[in-house]
Amino acid sequence: SSLAARRWVQMPARAQAFLCGMASNVEAPERWYLALLGFAEHFRTSSPPKIRLCVHCLQAVFQFKPPQRIEARTHLQLGSVLYHHTKNSELARSHLEKAWYISQQVPQFEDVKFEAASILSELFCQQNLVDSAKPLLRKAIQISQQTPYWHCRLLFQLAQLHTLEKDLVSACDLLGVGAEYARVVGSEYTRALFLLSKGMLLLMERKLGEVHPLLTLCGTIVENWQGNPIQKESLRVFFLVLQVTHYLDAGQVKSVKPCLKQLQQCIQTISTLHDDEILPSNPADLFHWLPKEHMCVLVYLVTVMHSMQAGYLEKAQKYTDKALMQLEKLKMLDCSPILSTFQVILLEHIIMCRLVTGHKATALQEVFLICCCCFFVYINVICNACKLHHGLYCISVNCMDNAEAQFTTALRLTTHQELWTYIVTNLASVYIREGNRHQEQSILLKRLNIDSHCLRAAAFYIRGLLSFFQGRYNEAKRFLRETLKMSNAEDLNRLTACSLVLLGHIFYVLGNHRESNNMVVPAMQLASKIPDMSVQLWSSALLKDLNKALGNTMDAHEAAQMHQNFSQQLLQDHIAACSLPEHNLISTARLLSRSRPRTGQPPAWLLVFYHRQQMDAD
């Protein structure tokens, strides 16, 4: 055919001659196949890759009427190359379907059969054909029970598919099946991976009654397993990450410190170990949770999360900078989606750091970086992050209408209970500052149903703030003392500083200057340690008025000078932030509500803004 002729012409002359010789030798039918395969691999691994020529070499195999084994494997190779390196998903699907169908007719051909099923199900998911992917995986799982590696891998894959669909019950059931299968085939390592993965999903479902015994079992398995040191330490990291995030999710910042210290020591141990090239004797053990470079970033990430909740903002910024630097190096060599997820979570935390420490302009530019992640990989969670952090930024620049629009849009988009509670808490603070939204405030505060220690303490603070603005000072003091008790119990330093300064303000209003001073001075010291610019501004204003009332002229002058310095810093930062083009993003919540994207597409407002930014840059 003309197509075959074109492919033939594009091959090097020596390759043509070699293939002619191989094809004429009917006694060695696989030699010409190996030659074509060698050329295909040469073109695929060239720099840059020559995918078209690779595909031509593989397609040429079919001209020689190969036996079923070679035909099935070639369809698999073509489907894999087309799926991973081109946009021709229909042709890739055709080849993978043929590989799956033919390989089922060939005895003892498990690798080709199950790899075809695995890649084909990925392609179905990419095409939003999940209902086609699930039965394919179920059938492959059913017939792979004598092949431990593929049976476990396909169970993981189907569990992941259910997780992406938010069907966590089905995913947990599959992981439980996998754990039992791994136990039967004598793989305690992979059994631990299945159980830890199940524990992660149970944490997401908030099924804490099931999580505790499961994590206890996992801890025993991990400690007793004797195998590859890197695999053992990676299991320990997985286990400790679950424990740390469980504590942080519950707002128990002080209680988590021993686990976090173990996790940091564990990752240091892994970094000193050399990769062992010896393959496990049990094929069911041929799995690895994460590369150690990814685990290092993850440990930085949970350390940042802890530092943020505890109010150690300088420490949080230091570890964020280290993690982002390592991420940039990794992303040059690795396009794994998990790296983008790590980047977004780190940016979320550093944005909150910047807003607290009085660097709104930098925070706004980092919000735009999250929006760019939204542009390149549209994910609802990332869009929620955009809305949430735009709302926090709007509060910091006193744009309450925009803050309300951002938070209400984020509320509509989120289904995550803790995130919903966090957004509601911030929205309530917006209503309080607007001063005339009493009905909305009451409705929001009644709807709060909080498990997290940290968020429950924050809710008491919001109630105290509302009572203060309404002039119910005794009620406000009662709420704030509850906040102080809870925040001191778990070292929630920023919440402690905010509660102290607000109590100091209440005592000042009531004329109890001595008690006010006892609150404001430690609030100022703690805010300086964090450092929290807004609390320092508030505290210095109160100290100025307190010292003036007490007749301490020198102290009043010093406090006035501090207040002036903080005011100037915050004003300059405010002006710098509002002059940035990214400041226009605060009005995007209304645009988003008019422009709901289809899955996989960025919202229209971001598309327009991104291209406008590109034109400005040019």
Side-chain angles (χ1 to χ4, degrees):
S1 67
S2 60
L3 180 59
R6 285 200 302 274
R7 291 171 187 155
W8 182 261
V9 167
Q10 291 179 30
M11 286 188 190
R14 290 175 65 191
Q16 294 177 15
F18 185 75
L19 291 175
C20 287
M22 292 298 101
S24 63
N25 188 350
V26 293
E27 295 180 358
E30 291 191 2
R31 293 173 66 184
W32 51 261
Y33 166 66
L34 293 175
L36 280 169
L37 190 62
F39 279 115
E41 185 65 8
H42 166 75
F43 290 133
R44 189 186 69 83
T45 57
S46 297
S47 183
K50 299 173 182 177
I51 300 302
R52 183 182 295 275
L53 294 179
C54 171
V55 169
H56 289 171
C57 287
L58 292 172
Q59 286 177 327
V61 171
F62 301 122
Q63 304 298 320
F64 298 103
K65 307 295 183 186
Q68 276 191 321
R69 296 179 74 87
I70 291 178
E71 183 183 4
R73 189 179 295 278
T74 304
H75 280 300
L76 171 61
Q77 290 160 336
L78 272 166
S80 179
V81 168
L82 290 166
Y83 171 65
H84 289 109
H85 297 282
T86 76
K87 295 181 180 179
N88 197 338
S89 55
E90 288 305 316
L91 186 57
R93 174 179 169 179
S94 173
H95 282 293
L96 291 169
E97 286 176 335
K98 288 174 183 175
W100 167 241
Y101 174 74
I102 297 170
S103 61
Q104 291 179 75
Q105 303 171 33
V106 181
Q108 298 180 341
F109 211 37
E110 281 75 13
D111 281 351
V112 169
K113 179 165 45 183
F114 298 127
E115 187 173 354
S118 177
I119 299 174
L120 183 56
S121 66
E122 285 182 24
L123 191 149
F124 281 144
C125 292
Q126 189 184 76
Q127 295 179 324
N128 293 322
L129 299 172
V130 177
D131 290 337
S132 298
K134 285 193 274 191
L136 172 64
L137 285 172
R138 289 193 194 103
K139 182 175 181 181
I141 288 168
Q142 184 181 0
I143 62 177
S144 64
Q145 294 191 34
Q146 302 306 313
T147 314
Y149 167 75
W150 278 109
H151 190 67
C152 292
R153 177 169 162 176
L154 293 165
L155 281 168
F156 274 126
Q157 190 169 348
L158 184 55
Q160 182 181 30
L161 178 52
H162 282 299
T163 302
L164 292 173
E165 287 194 304
K166 301 192 184 330
D167 182 2
L168 300 186
V169 174
S170 298
C172 283
D173 289 344
L174 282 165
L175 293 170
V177 169
E180 179 59 21
Y181 176 83
R183 185 191 68 78
V184 169
V185 298
S187 175
E188 288 295 284
Y189 169 75
T190 302
R191 181 189 178 201
L193 280 180
F194 275 113
L195 290 174
L196 288 167
S197 301
K198 183 178 179 179
M200 181 172 62
L201 297 188
L202 291 172
L203 283 173
M204 291 168 63
E205 283 192 285
R206 309 293 298 165
K207 291 186 176 179
L208 303 184
E210 296 180 46
V211 169
H212 295 303
L214 184 64
L215 286 183
T216 301
L217 174 61
C218 288
T220 303
I221 294 172
V222 171
E223 290 307 313
N224 292 338
W225 185 71
Q226 300 298 321
N228 184 303
I230 286 185
Q231 285 184 308
K232 184 178 178 71
E233 291 303 314
S234 72
L235 283 180
R236 189 176 282 124
V237 169
F238 195 173
F239 171 71
L240 289 170
V241 164
L242 291 185
Q243 283 201 317
V244 169
T245 50
H246 179 33
Y247 277 116
L248 293 178
D249 192 40
Q252 297 175 324
V253 176
K254 187 176 182 179
S255 306
V256 78
K257 286 183 179 179
C259 287
L260 182 60
K261 187 174 181 181
Q262 286 181 55
L263 178 59
Q264 291 165 343
Q265 290 171 344
C266 190
I267 201 65
Q268 288 177 354
T269 301
I270 284 183
S271 64
T272 63
L273 295 173
H274 296 289
D275 291 333
D276 193 346
E277 297 297 332
I278 301 174
L279 291 177
S281 57
N282 190 335
D285 286 345
L286 290 168
F287 295 96
H288 199 60
W289 176 49
L290 282 177
K292 63 182 179 181
E293 295 81 8
H294 292 196
M295 284 190 273
C296 288
V297 176
L298 181 58
V299 174
Y300 278 136
L301 175 56
V302 294
T303 304
V304 168
M305 292 167 65
H306 175 264
S307 301
M308 276 297 303
Q309 283 198 34
Y312 305 133
L313 300 194
E314 289 182 343
K315 186 177 178 181
Q317 291 185 58
K318 180 181 78 172
Y319 282 111
T320 299
D321 290 341
K322 286 185 176 182
L324 288 174
M325 191 181 304
Q326 191 160 342
L327 269 175
E328 288 304 313
K329 292 177 182 176
L330 289 174
K331 289 177 80 173
M332 292 178 186
L333 306 171
D334 187 351
C335 58
S336 173
I338 198 171
L339 297 180
S340 296
T341 304
F342 288 163
Q343 183 182 19
V344 168
I345 299 172
L346 286 164
L347 287 171
E348 285 186 289
H349 285 80
I350 199 63
I351 286 163
M352 290 186 280
C353 275
R354 310 283 194 216
L355 293 175
V356 171
T357 57
H359 298 92
K360 292 186 283 289
T362 308
L364 184 57
Q365 291 170 325
E366 286 162 343
V367 172
F368 180 66
L369 283 179
I370 294 183
C371 290
C372 288
C373 291
C374 226
F375 177 81
F376 291 112
V377 183
Y378 181 71
I379 305 171
N380 278 337
V381 173
I382 298 179
C383 283
N384 288 343
C386 291
K387 299 292 104 189
L388 171 61
H389 291 96
H390 285 150
L392 296 174
Y393 168 76
C394 291
I395 292 177
S396 74
V397 292
N398 209 33
C399 297
M400 294 302 155
D401 287 344
N402 294 108
E404 181 183 349
Q406 297 284 349
F407 287 140
T408 51
T409 304
L411 278 178
R412 192 181 71 247
L413 293 173
T414 189
T415 56
H416 190 275
Q417 179 60 41
E418 278 69 31
L419 181 58
W420 186 91
T421 302
Y422 183 65
I423 296 167
V424 165
T425 306
N426 282 282
L427 184 57
S429 74
V430 171
Y431 289 156
I432 291 169
R433 290 180 66 170
E434 288 182 324
N436 57 353
R437 308 292 292 277
H438 302 306
Q439 185 176 357
E440 291 96 329
Q441 295 161 15
S442 300
I443 292 171
L444 281 178
L445 292 174
K446 284 177 183 176
R447 292 174 68 189
L448 288 176
N449 182 18
I450 307 167
D451 293 328
S452 167
H453 181 95
C454 182
L455 286 175
R456 193 158 61 248
F460 277 120
Y461 175 79
I462 291 295
R463 289 186 172 99
L465 187 64
L466 175 60
S467 300
F468 167 73
F469 276 104
Q470 293 176 343
R472 302 197 305 271
Y473 297 127
N474 286 332
E475 183 179 274
K477 286 191 285 184
R478 188 169 70 252
F479 283 129
L480 292 170
R481 283 173 178 145
E482 193 63 33
T483 303
L484 277 176
K485 183 174 74 174
M486 294 184 71
S487 58
N488 284 331
E490 287 294 344
D491 289 346
L492 306 174
N493 292 323
R494 186 164 182 253
L495 203 49
T496 299
C498 291
S499 302
L500 285 171
V501 73
L502 182 51
L503 274 170
H505 201 138
I506 291 170
F507 284 119
Y508 177 78
V509 171
L510 294 173
N512 190 341
H513 294 164
R514 184 176 299 278
E515 193 64 31
S516 176
N517 192 68
N518 290 341
M519 299 288 125
V520 177
V521 169
M524 184 65 167
Q525 292 170 345
L526 196 52
S528 302
K529 181 182 175 183
I530 290 172
D532 186 322
M533 287 291 287
S534 298
V535 174
Q536 288 181 92
L537 181 70
W538 190 358
S539 300
S540 60
L542 277 171
L543 284 172
K544 178 186 68 174
D545 294 339
L546 273 171
N547 284 303
K548 193 180 293 183
L550 294 169
N552 300 328
T553 308
M554 292 293 293
D555 291 339
H557 177 74
E558 183 181 343
Q561 188 60 51
M562 280 196 299
H563 183 71
Q564 177 68 17
N565 292 339
F566 292 134
S567 298
Q568 285 298 318
Q569 288 180 51
L570 287 169
L571 179 61
Q572 290 171 7
D573 184 48
H574 181 98
I575 294 169
C578 293
S579 65
L580 289 171
E582 290 90 346
H583 181 76
N584 296 322
L585 285 169
I586 68 173
S587 61
T588 57
R590 295 181 181 88
L591 288 171
L592 180 61
S593 64
R594 299 191 209 118
S595 168
R596 293 186 182 179
R598 297 189 299 274
T599 303
Q601 290 184 319
W605 61 264
L606 182 56
L607 191 67
V608 172
F609 189 83
Y610 177 79
H611 286 302
R612 188 183 304 156
Q613 290 291 94
Q614 290 297 100
M615 287 190 290
D616 290 345
D618 293 342

